Amino acid sequence: MQNKNKIEVWGYKTFRPFRIYWALYEYNLDFIKYKIGSRTGETKTSQYLKINSKGKIPTFRHNNITITESGAAVSYILDNFKKPKDFFIPKTASDKAKVQEWCLFSLMELDCLSIYILRRHERPDSLGLSKIYGEADNAVKTARMHFDKMIAACEKSVPKNSWLLSDSPSMADIIFMSCLIHCDNFRLKIKSDNINLYIERAKKRNIFQRAFKDCFNM
């Protein structure tokens, strides 16, 4: 008999798989972890490429449903399993739009246009992969400037004493916070007391700590 709740996750040690770990921990869901890493050769095996032809992590699978984008995987989890009491799921059109706004902003402006550019083009002594993708000093410079600009743009929208949209975390917090946890690695200084306090509040959440420890083998 097929296990109707069999959940599998491939990937760890980066902020994109962490999004999925955090969502699964919030929903108190058991899952099978395949702790394979980027650029280790583990994502290029014929076995893994049959699961995810992109050859990247993370991959999420629930029985016969396979999802290879972290944001989509988080959304799937939140929509398909019993909601815990202490988690915010938007019901109104305006709340749904605000969650989407935060998620799209984080995925594009912070992740793709800032953090991932640094990851690809910074030098190895700054945790970058310039030996693989090439040095691009101007791209690195503009990525840092763009990050600062986007943090300044969203700073006033971050509540001073709660999560982004409620007293409980939402998908918006999972995606936004996942983009902030590696800033120190790339020497991205967040020039906002408000957002720095938000980060410290998020890090104190027990579920966040458990998911982080599991994903990063801490």
Side-chain angles (χ1 to χ4, degrees):
M1 175 179 283
Q2 186 183 45
N3 180 356
K4 292 184 179 180
N5 288 311
K6 182 181 180 182
I7 300 170
E8 300 167 282
V9 178
W10 285 259
Y12 79 130
K13 280 193 175 180
T14 77
F15 61 93
R16 290 173 179 172
F18 173 67
R19 295 165 182 159
I20 301 174
Y21 277 62
W22 187 0
L24 290 167
Y25 268 82
E26 288 288 348
Y27 272 54
N28 195 30
L29 293 168
D30 293 327
F31 60 105
I32 300 168
K33 305 153 201 165
Y34 304 100
K35 292 193 171 182
I36 65 173
S38 297
R39 302 171 186 88
T40 61
E42 295 168 302
T43 62
K44 303 301 181 183
T45 65
S46 58
Q47 182 180 11
Y48 185 72
L49 290 171
K50 289 179 182 178
I51 300 168
N52 183 345
S53 59
K54 299 173 186 174
K56 301 179 72 174
I57 56 171
T59 297
F60 167 90
R61 184 161 69 187
H62 176 224
N63 293 326
N64 63 341
I65 303 296
T66 299
I67 301 172
T68 60
E69 292 294 334
S70 60
V74 171
S75 181
Y76 178 91
I77 293 163
L78 305 189
D79 288 341
N80 286 280
F81 297 94
K82 184 179 178 180
K83 186 186 84 68
K85 292 181 179 179
D86 188 22
F87 196 85
F88 178 69
I89 298 294
K91 295 181 179 179
T92 67
S94 59
D95 282 344
K96 290 177 181 178
K98 293 306 292 184
V99 168
Q100 284 190 328
E101 181 181 32
W102 272 108
C103 290
L104 294 172
F105 164 79
S106 301
L107 291 169
M108 179 57 71
E109 305 296 347
L110 300 182
D111 185 344
C112 294
L113 294 181
S114 299
I115 298 168
Y116 197 57
I117 289 175
L118 298 181
R119 175 66 172 148
R120 290 171 71 94
H121 297 297
E122 275 281 18
R123 294 174 176 82
D125 59 356
S126 297
L127 300 182
L129 298 168
S130 61
K131 285 188 176 180
I132 299 174
Y133 296 107
E135 293 184 10
D137 291 342
N138 194 51
V140 167
K141 178 182 177 181
T142 55
R144 291 185 176 280
M145 291 172 61
H146 187 74
F147 181 85
D148 289 344
K149 181 179 179 180
M150 292 301 102
I151 289 296
C154 74
E155 193 267 347
K156 291 183 180 179
S157 298
V158 176
K160 296 187 180 300
N161 297 298
S162 68
W163 298 90
L164 292 177
L165 299 169
S166 169
D167 289 334
S168 299
S170 68
M171 181 176 175
D173 296 284
I174 289 177
I175 303 300
F176 182 54
M177 185 62 184
S178 72
C179 292
L180 302 179
I181 56 175
H182 281 338
C183 288
D184 288 346
N185 292 341
F186 297 109
R187 298 195 295 273
L188 280 168
K189 185 176 181 181
I190 296 176
K191 303 168 185 178
S192 165
D193 291 340
N194 194 29
I195 293 179
N196 283 320
L197 289 172
Y198 165 86
I199 293 170
E200 292 308 309
R201 290 198 306 274
K203 285 182 176 180
K204 290 178 181 177
R205 184 171 178 81
N206 180 258
I207 297 173
F208 172 94
Q209 293 174 3
R210 287 164 50 207
F212 189 91
K213 182 178 180 180
D214 191 2
C215 185
F216 291 94
N217 278 0
M218 303 290 287

